[in-house]
Amino acid sequence: MRFGLHLPNFGPVGDPKLLASLAAEAESTGWEGFFLWDHVLGDAAWREQMVDPWIALAAVASATQSIRLGALVTAVPRRRPWHLARETATLDRLSDGRLVVGVGLGFPADAEFAHFGEEGAAQVRARRLDEGLAIMAGLWSGEPFAFEGTEYRIRETVFLPTPVQRPRPPIWVAAHWPNRAPLRRAARWDGVFPEHAGGGRLSPAELHELLAYIKQERRGTEPFDVVIAGLSKELAGEELADYAAAGATWWLESISPNDSVDEVRRRIATDPPARPIT
């Protein structure tokens, strides 16, 4: 099991220079991943300081050497997939192949879609996510690519340069347990980032059941990441080992938007990421 941090792109840490500094501190301490939320508003009533995660991640990439990084998760349906393909390929090259692309439908639909005049219906967002992923993978190939779908159409084009990682940066798909459609989507890609439909982390037993379903749906034998986020101080007994036994490959320490910068730094320094988990 590998260990990373999961931070909001707003609140006390919502500053690109600060995030780059925190990522460098995390890398020097031994954390293996640094992942940012991707929100543009979150709530229409918010007056939080907020940064674009992709620009902030470019700063993170420039301040670090080995830590994995990415937006977890980015709402593909509210971004043009060809633009996102450019951004991610650029960031993968800037980081020398350390990018993870976390994806989902986007949440909440009212604040992040309807508030800006975008379509927020779940079925439309699901189509845009699936078609967007197909487009990104096609453009990352560096080969001539065209697409004709319900939501998007692209004339034949070639995007260069390609990402460093081949055939693509890994794609982790967000899923709300016990919904099955996001799990089928995750099974087609490189990893899953699950939580309960009402919020909160799954138990090790629920994770085992979820992965049994994904295993039925997967066709390839490539590595598949399973990401659990939470607070290590809330884990009971051997629960972390139980997650690893159930199939989890990453534990992400959750940082709250309410945490002060000092608290975040304390957790980076004192929460040991290197644990005896195999």
Side-chain angles (χ1 to χ4, degrees), residues 12 35 37-38 58 68 77 117 121 133 145 154-155 187 196 211 238:
F35 301 98
W37 301 8
D38 183 351
R68 299 289 285 184
L133 289 174
F145 176 77
I154 300 177
R155 297 174 183 174
H196 281 289
L211 292 178
E238 298 299 317

Side-chain angles (χ1 to χ4, degrees), residues 212-260:
Y213 181 80
I214 288 181
K215 185 177 180 180
Q216 294 175 4
E217 297 294 319
R218 274 184 70 74
R219 297 294 177 263
T221 59
E222 296 81 5
F224 188 82
D225 278 308
V226 181
V227 186
I228 296 293
L231 298 173
S232 57
K233 66 182 181 181
E234 295 179 352
L235 292 169
E238 298 299 317
E239 197 172 11
L240 194 63
D242 293 339
Y243 277 118
T249 62
W250 280 86
W251 171 269
L252 300 186
E253 191 71 19
S254 296
I255 302 299
S256 166
N258 298 319
D259 289 340
S260 68

Side-chain angles (χ1 to χ4, degrees), residues 88-106:
T88 48
T90 301
L91 185 53
D92 196 55
R93 296 186 74 84
L94 177 64
S95 65
D96 294 322
R98 293 185 280 134
L99 177 65
V100 174
V101 180
V103 301
L105 296 186

Side-chain angles (χ1 to χ4, degrees), residues 112-128:
E112 305 239 330
F113 288 85
H115 188 78
F116 297 101
E118 293 281 351
E119 178 59 66
Q123 289 183 336
V124 174
R125 286 183 288 140
R127 283 199 304 269
R128 290 181 178 177

Side-chain angles (χ1 to χ4, degrees), residues 13-179:
V13 299
D15 176 89
K17 292 181 180 179
L18 174 60
L19 287 167
S21 174
L22 293 174
E25 292 174 28
E27 184 175 77
S28 67
T29 305
W31 295 91
E32 299 165 280
F34 193 88
F35 301 98
L36 301 182
W37 301 8
D38 183 351
H39 286 290
V40 294
L41 185 60
D43 188 298
W46 281 5
R47 298 296 183 269
E48 299 275 1
Q49 62 180 26
M50 181 177 288
V51 297
D52 178 84
W54 295 100
I55 294 177
L57 285 167
V60 167
S62 297
T64 57
Q65 299 294 323
S66 62
I67 203 167
R68 299 289 285 184
L69 52 92
L72 198 60
V73 296
T74 194
V76 174
R78 64 169 162 77
R79 296 179 178 272
R80 299 294 187 187
W82 41 91
H83 187 195
L84 191 55
R86 281 288 195 205
E87 288 178 321
T88 48
T90 301
L91 185 53
D92 196 55
R93 296 186 74 84
L94 177 64
S95 65
D96 294 322
R98 293 185 280 134
L99 177 65
V100 174
V101 180
V103 301
L105 296 186
F107 175 84
D110 55 349
E112 305 239 330
F113 288 85
H115 188 78
F116 297 101
E118 293 281 351
E119 178 59 66
Q123 289 183 336
V124 174
R125 286 183 288 140
R127 283 199 304 269
R128 290 181 178 177
L129 174 54
D130 288 329
E131 291 187 14
L133 289 174
I135 289 168
M136 291 166 64
L139 294 175
W140 283 336
S141 72
E143 301 294 331
F145 176 77
F147 186 86
E148 184 75 26
T150 302
E151 300 293 327
Y152 303 116
R153 287 159 293 283
I154 300 177
R155 297 174 183 174
E156 185 174 291
T157 188
V158 174
F159 266 26
L160 292 172
T162 64
V164 172
Q165 298 178 88
R166 308 303 293 155
R168 61 173 181 268
I171 294 173
W172 293 351
V173 178
H176 283 164
W177 177 256
N179 299 339

